[in-house]
Short mmCIF file of all heavy atoms in Angstrom, two decimals:
data_model
loop_
_atom_site.label_atom_id
_atom_site.label_comp_id
_atom_site.label_asym_id
_atom_site.label_seq_id
_atom_site.Cartn_x
_atom_site.Cartn_y
_atom_site.Cartn_z
N ASN P 328 -74.32 42.98 -51.87
CA ASN P 328 -74.24 44.22 -52.64
C ASN P 328 -72.96 44.28 -53.47
O ASN P 328 -72.33 45.35 -53.60
CB ASN P 328 -74.34 45.44 -51.72
CG ASN P 328 -74.64 46.73 -52.48
OD1 ASN P 328 -75.32 46.70 -53.51
ND2 ASN P 328 -74.10 47.85 -52.01
N LEU P 329 -72.58 43.15 -54.03
CA LEU P 329 -71.37 43.10 -54.85
C LEU P 329 -71.70 43.47 -56.30
O LEU P 329 -72.77 43.13 -56.81
CB LEU P 329 -70.77 41.69 -54.83
CG LEU P 329 -70.38 41.12 -53.46
CD1 LEU P 329 -69.80 39.73 -53.62
CD2 LEU P 329 -69.41 42.04 -52.74
N LYS P 330 -70.77 44.15 -56.93
CA LYS P 330 -70.89 44.40 -58.37
C LYS P 330 -70.27 43.19 -59.06
O LYS P 330 -69.09 42.89 -58.87
CB LYS P 330 -70.14 45.66 -58.79
CG LYS P 330 -70.17 45.91 -60.30
CD LYS P 330 -69.44 47.18 -60.67
CE LYS P 330 -69.37 47.36 -62.18
NZ LYS P 330 -70.69 47.46 -62.82
N THR P 331 -71.07 42.45 -59.80
CA THR P 331 -70.59 41.20 -60.39
C THR P 331 -70.31 41.35 -61.88
O THR P 331 -71.03 42.05 -62.60
CB THR P 331 -71.61 40.06 -60.19
OG1 THR P 331 -72.84 40.41 -60.83
CG2 THR P 331 -71.85 39.80 -58.71
N ILE P 332 -69.25 40.71 -62.31
CA ILE P 332 -68.92 40.56 -63.73
C ILE P 332 -68.88 39.07 -64.00
O ILE P 332 -68.04 38.35 -63.45
CB ILE P 332 -67.57 41.22 -64.08
CG1 ILE P 332 -67.62 42.72 -63.79
CG2 ILE P 332 -67.20 40.96 -65.53
CD1 ILE P 332 -66.27 43.41 -63.89
N ASP P 333 -69.82 38.59 -64.78
CA ASP P 333 -69.96 37.15 -65.00
C ASP P 333 -69.16 36.74 -66.24
O ASP P 333 -69.58 36.96 -67.37
CB ASP P 333 -71.43 36.79 -65.17
CG ASP P 333 -71.66 35.28 -65.16
OD1 ASP P 333 -70.65 34.54 -65.15
OD2 ASP P 333 -72.83 34.86 -65.16
N ALA P 334 -67.99 36.13 -66.00
CA ALA P 334 -67.12 35.70 -67.10
C ALA P 334 -67.35 34.24 -67.48
O ALA P 334 -66.49 33.62 -68.12
CB ALA P 334 -65.66 35.93 -66.72
N THR P 335 -68.49 33.68 -67.09
CA THR P 335 -68.81 32.30 -67.46
C THR P 335 -68.72 32.13 -68.98
O THR P 335 -69.26 32.94 -69.74
CB THR P 335 -70.24 31.93 -67.01
OG1 THR P 335 -70.34 32.09 -65.59
CG2 THR P 335 -70.57 30.50 -67.39
N CYS P 336 -68.03 31.08 -69.41
CA CYS P 336 -67.95 30.80 -70.84
C CYS P 336 -69.35 30.64 -71.41
O CYS P 336 -70.18 29.92 -70.83
CB CYS P 336 -67.14 29.53 -71.07
SG CYS P 336 -67.12 29.00 -72.81
N PRO P 337 -69.67 31.28 -72.54
CA PRO P 337 -71.00 31.12 -73.13
C PRO P 337 -71.40 29.68 -73.41
O PRO P 337 -72.59 29.34 -73.40
CB PRO P 337 -70.90 31.93 -74.43
CG PRO P 337 -69.88 32.99 -74.12
CD PRO P 337 -68.86 32.29 -73.25
N LEU P 338 -70.42 28.81 -73.64
CA LEU P 338 -70.74 27.41 -73.89
C LEU P 338 -71.15 26.69 -72.60
O LEU P 338 -71.94 25.75 -72.63
CB LEU P 338 -69.56 26.70 -74.55
CG LEU P 338 -69.13 27.30 -75.89
CD1 LEU P 338 -67.93 26.57 -76.46
CD2 LEU P 338 -70.29 27.29 -76.89
N VAL P 339 -70.62 27.14 -71.47
CA VAL P 339 -71.07 26.63 -70.18
C VAL P 339 -72.46 27.17 -69.87
O VAL P 339 -73.34 26.44 -69.39
CB VAL P 339 -70.08 27.02 -69.05
CG1 VAL P 339 -70.62 26.60 -67.69
CG2 VAL P 339 -68.72 26.37 -69.31
N THR P 340 -72.69 28.44 -70.17
CA THR P 340 -74.01 29.04 -69.98
C THR P 340 -75.07 28.27 -70.76
O THR P 340 -76.20 28.07 -70.28
CB THR P 340 -74.00 30.51 -70.42
OG1 THR P 340 -73.05 31.22 -69.62
CG2 THR P 340 -75.37 31.15 -70.28
N LYS P 341 -74.71 27.81 -71.96
CA LYS P 341 -75.64 27.00 -72.77
C LYS P 341 -76.08 25.75 -72.01
O LYS P 341 -77.27 25.40 -72.00
CB LYS P 341 -74.98 26.61 -74.09
CG LYS P 341 -75.83 25.69 -74.97
CD LYS P 341 -75.07 25.25 -76.21
CE LYS P 341 -74.15 24.10 -75.93
NZ LYS P 341 -74.85 22.80 -75.73
N VAL P 342 -75.15 25.08 -71.33
CA VAL P 342 -75.47 23.88 -70.57
C VAL P 342 -76.37 24.24 -69.38
O VAL P 342 -77.33 23.53 -69.07
CB VAL P 342 -74.21 23.15 -70.10
CG1 VAL P 342 -74.57 21.88 -69.32
CG2 VAL P 342 -73.32 22.79 -71.29
N HIS P 343 -76.09 25.38 -68.72
CA HIS P 343 -76.94 25.84 -67.62
C HIS P 343 -78.37 26.05 -68.12
O HIS P 343 -79.34 25.66 -67.46
CB HIS P 343 -76.41 27.17 -67.06
CG HIS P 343 -75.24 27.01 -66.16
ND1 HIS P 343 -75.11 27.70 -64.97
CD2 HIS P 343 -74.13 26.24 -66.25
CE1 HIS P 343 -73.98 27.36 -64.38
NE2 HIS P 343 -73.36 26.48 -65.15
N ASN P 344 -78.49 26.68 -69.28
CA ASN P 344 -79.83 26.94 -69.84
C ASN P 344 -80.56 25.63 -70.14
O ASN P 344 -81.77 25.51 -69.90
CB ASN P 344 -79.72 27.78 -71.11
CG ASN P 344 -79.24 29.19 -70.83
OD1 ASN P 344 -79.33 29.68 -69.70
ND2 ASN P 344 -78.72 29.86 -71.85
N GLU P 345 -79.83 24.66 -70.67
CA GLU P 345 -80.43 23.35 -70.95
C GLU P 345 -80.92 22.70 -69.66
O GLU P 345 -82.01 22.12 -69.61
CB GLU P 345 -79.42 22.45 -71.65
CG GLU P 345 -79.10 22.87 -73.08
CD GLU P 345 -77.92 22.11 -73.67
OE1 GLU P 345 -77.22 21.39 -72.91
OE2 GLU P 345 -77.69 22.25 -74.88
N ALA P 346 -80.10 22.80 -68.61
CA ALA P 346 -80.47 22.18 -67.34
C ALA P 346 -81.77 22.79 -66.80
O ALA P 346 -82.67 22.07 -66.34
CB ALA P 346 -79.34 22.36 -66.32
N ARG P 347 -81.86 24.11 -66.86
CA ARG P 347 -83.08 24.77 -66.37
C ARG P 347 -84.29 24.37 -67.21
O ARG P 347 -85.37 24.12 -66.67
CB ARG P 347 -82.90 26.29 -66.39
CG ARG P 347 -81.97 26.83 -65.33
CD ARG P 347 -82.17 28.32 -65.13
NE ARG P 347 -81.91 29.06 -66.36
CZ ARG P 347 -80.71 29.52 -66.75
NH1 ARG P 347 -79.66 29.28 -66.00
NH2 ARG P 347 -80.58 30.18 -67.87
N ARG P 348 -84.11 24.32 -68.52
CA ARG P 348 -85.24 24.01 -69.39
C ARG P 348 -85.74 22.59 -69.18
O ARG P 348 -86.96 22.37 -69.05
CB ARG P 348 -84.82 24.22 -70.86
CG ARG P 348 -85.98 24.05 -71.84
CD ARG P 348 -85.62 24.53 -73.23
NE ARG P 348 -84.66 23.65 -73.89
CZ ARG P 348 -83.39 23.95 -74.10
NH1 ARG P 348 -82.90 25.10 -73.68
NH2 ARG P 348 -82.59 23.11 -74.72
N PHE P 349 -84.85 21.62 -69.10
CA PHE P 349 -85.28 20.24 -68.90
C PHE P 349 -85.85 20.03 -67.51
O PHE P 349 -86.81 19.26 -67.33
CB PHE P 349 -84.12 19.27 -69.17
CG PHE P 349 -83.84 19.06 -70.63
CD1 PHE P 349 -82.67 19.51 -71.21
CD2 PHE P 349 -84.77 18.40 -71.43
CE1 PHE P 349 -82.42 19.31 -72.55
CE2 PHE P 349 -84.53 18.20 -72.78
CZ PHE P 349 -83.35 18.66 -73.35
N ALA P 350 -85.31 20.72 -66.51
CA ALA P 350 -85.85 20.60 -65.15
C ALA P 350 -87.27 21.16 -65.10
O ALA P 350 -88.15 20.59 -64.43
CB ALA P 350 -84.95 21.34 -64.17
N ALA P 351 -87.50 22.26 -65.83
CA ALA P 351 -88.84 22.86 -65.86
C ALA P 351 -89.85 21.92 -66.49
O ALA P 351 -91.05 21.99 -66.19
CB ALA P 351 -88.79 24.18 -66.62
N GLN P 352 -89.37 21.01 -67.35
CA GLN P 352 -90.24 20.02 -67.99
C GLN P 352 -90.27 18.70 -67.20
O GLN P 352 -90.78 17.70 -67.68
CB GLN P 352 -89.76 19.76 -69.43
CG GLN P 352 -89.83 21.00 -70.31
CD GLN P 352 -89.14 20.79 -71.66
OE1 GLN P 352 -88.91 19.66 -72.08
NE2 GLN P 352 -88.79 21.88 -72.32
N ASP P 353 -89.70 18.73 -66.00
CA ASP P 353 -89.70 17.60 -65.07
C ASP P 353 -88.95 16.39 -65.61
O ASP P 353 -89.33 15.24 -65.36
CB ASP P 353 -91.13 17.20 -64.69
CG ASP P 353 -91.17 16.43 -63.37
OD1 ASP P 353 -90.28 16.67 -62.53
OD2 ASP P 353 -92.07 15.59 -63.19
N TYR P 354 -87.85 16.63 -66.30
CA TYR P 354 -86.96 15.55 -66.72
C TYR P 354 -85.95 15.26 -65.61
O TYR P 354 -85.52 16.17 -64.89
CB TYR P 354 -86.18 15.94 -67.98
CG TYR P 354 -86.93 15.71 -69.27
CD1 TYR P 354 -87.84 16.65 -69.75
CD2 TYR P 354 -86.72 14.56 -70.02
CE1 TYR P 354 -88.52 16.46 -70.93
CE2 TYR P 354 -87.39 14.35 -71.22
CZ TYR P 354 -88.29 15.30 -71.67
OH TYR P 354 -88.96 15.10 -72.85
N ASP P 355 -85.55 14.01 -65.48
CA ASP P 355 -84.35 13.68 -64.75
C ASP P 355 -83.16 13.98 -65.66
O ASP P 355 -83.20 13.68 -66.86
CB ASP P 355 -84.32 12.20 -64.37
CG ASP P 355 -85.01 11.92 -63.04
OD1 ASP P 355 -85.39 12.90 -62.37
OD2 ASP P 355 -85.18 10.74 -62.70
N ILE P 356 -82.11 14.57 -65.10
CA ILE P 356 -80.95 14.98 -65.89
C ILE P 356 -79.73 14.23 -65.38
O ILE P 356 -79.39 14.31 -64.20
CB ILE P 356 -80.71 16.49 -65.79
CG1 ILE P 356 -81.94 17.27 -66.29
CG2 ILE P 356 -79.46 16.90 -66.56
CD1 ILE P 356 -81.94 18.74 -65.92
N LEU P 357 -79.09 13.49 -66.27
CA LEU P 357 -77.84 12.82 -65.94
C LEU P 357 -76.69 13.70 -66.43
O LEU P 357 -76.51 13.89 -67.64
CB LEU P 357 -77.78 11.44 -66.60
CG LEU P 357 -78.94 10.50 -66.27
CD1 LEU P 357 -78.75 9.15 -66.95
CD2 LEU P 357 -79.09 10.33 -64.75
N LEU P 358 -75.96 14.27 -65.49
CA LEU P 358 -74.87 15.18 -65.82
C LEU P 358 -73.56 14.41 -65.80
O LEU P 358 -73.08 13.98 -64.74
CB LEU P 358 -74.82 16.34 -64.82
CG LEU P 358 -73.69 17.35 -64.99
CD1 LEU P 358 -73.74 18.02 -66.37
CD2 LEU P 358 -73.73 18.40 -63.88
N ILE P 359 -72.98 14.21 -66.96
CA ILE P 359 -71.71 13.49 -67.06
C ILE P 359 -70.58 14.48 -66.78
O ILE P 359 -70.45 15.50 -67.46
CB ILE P 359 -71.54 12.86 -68.45
CG1 ILE P 359 -72.71 11.91 -68.74
CG2 ILE P 359 -70.22 12.12 -68.56
CD1 ILE P 359 -72.75 11.40 -70.16
N GLY P 360 -69.79 14.18 -65.76
CA GLY P 360 -68.73 15.10 -65.39
C GLY P 360 -67.96 14.60 -64.19
O GLY P 360 -68.21 13.50 -63.69
N HIS P 361 -67.04 15.43 -63.71
CA HIS P 361 -66.16 15.04 -62.62
C HIS P 361 -66.62 15.69 -61.32
O HIS P 361 -66.78 16.91 -61.25
CB HIS P 361 -64.72 15.41 -62.93
CG HIS P 361 -64.17 14.71 -64.14
ND1 HIS P 361 -64.12 13.33 -64.24
CD2 HIS P 361 -63.67 15.19 -65.31
CE1 HIS P 361 -63.60 12.99 -65.40
NE2 HIS P 361 -63.33 14.10 -66.07
N ALA P 362 -66.81 14.87 -60.31
CA ALA P 362 -67.24 15.36 -58.99
C ALA P 362 -66.25 16.40 -58.47
O ALA P 362 -65.03 16.22 -58.56
CB ALA P 362 -67.34 14.20 -58.01
N GLY P 363 -66.78 17.50 -57.95
CA GLY P 363 -65.95 18.53 -57.37
C GLY P 363 -65.48 19.59 -58.34
O GLY P 363 -64.96 20.64 -57.93
N HIS P 364 -65.62 19.35 -59.65
CA HIS P 364 -65.20 20.36 -60.62
C HIS P 364 -66.15 21.56 -60.55
O HIS P 364 -67.37 21.40 -60.42
CB HIS P 364 -65.20 19.77 -62.03
CG HIS P 364 -64.50 20.64 -63.05
ND1 HIS P 364 -65.11 21.73 -63.62
CD2 HIS P 364 -63.25 20.58 -63.58
CE1 HIS P 364 -64.27 22.29 -64.48
NE2 HIS P 364 -63.14 21.62 -64.46
N GLU P 365 -65.60 22.76 -60.64
CA GLU P 365 -66.41 23.97 -60.48
C GLU P 365 -67.53 24.06 -61.50
O GLU P 365 -68.64 24.51 -61.20
CB GLU P 365 -65.51 25.21 -60.58
CG GLU P 365 -64.58 25.37 -59.39
CD GLU P 365 -63.29 26.07 -59.77
OE1 GLU P 365 -63.34 27.04 -60.53
OE2 GLU P 365 -62.22 25.61 -59.31
N GLU P 366 -67.25 23.62 -62.72
CA GLU P 366 -68.30 23.69 -63.75
C GLU P 366 -69.46 22.78 -63.39
O GLU P 366 -70.64 23.16 -63.54
CB GLU P 366 -67.73 23.31 -65.11
CG GLU P 366 -68.77 23.43 -66.22
CD GLU P 366 -68.29 22.91 -67.56
OE1 GLU P 366 -67.08 23.02 -67.85
OE2 GLU P 366 -69.12 22.39 -68.32
N VAL P 367 -69.16 21.59 -62.92
CA VAL P 367 -70.20 20.64 -62.53
C VAL P 367 -71.03 21.20 -61.38
O VAL P 367 -72.27 21.11 -61.36
CB VAL P 367 -69.57 19.28 -62.15
CG1 VAL P 367 -70.57 18.40 -61.40
CG2 VAL P 367 -69.08 18.57 -63.40
N GLU P 368 -70.37 21.80 -60.39
CA GLU P 368 -71.09 22.37 -59.25
C GLU P 368 -72.02 23.49 -59.69
O GLU P 368 -73.15 23.61 -59.20
CB GLU P 368 -70.08 22.88 -58.21
CG GLU P 368 -69.31 21.75 -57.53
CD GLU P 368 -68.26 22.25 -56.56
OE1 GLU P 368 -68.00 23.48 -56.54
OE2 GLU P 368 -67.69 21.42 -55.82
#
Side-chain angles (χ1 to χ4, degrees):
N328 195 32
L329 302 180
K330 177 179 175 62
T331 61
I332 298 171
D333 190 353
T335 301
C336 174
L338 300 179
V339 175
T340 299
K341 176 185 82 73
V342 181
H343 282 223
N344 292 340
E345 290 170 350
R347 287 198 300 273
R348 185 168 71 252
F349 283 113
Q352 298 170 19
D353 202 28
Y354 276 83
D355 272 353
I356 301 166
L357 304 182
L358 177 60
I359 302 171
H361 298 302
H364 192 281
E365 290 150 42
E366 183 187 327
V367 165
E368 292 177 351

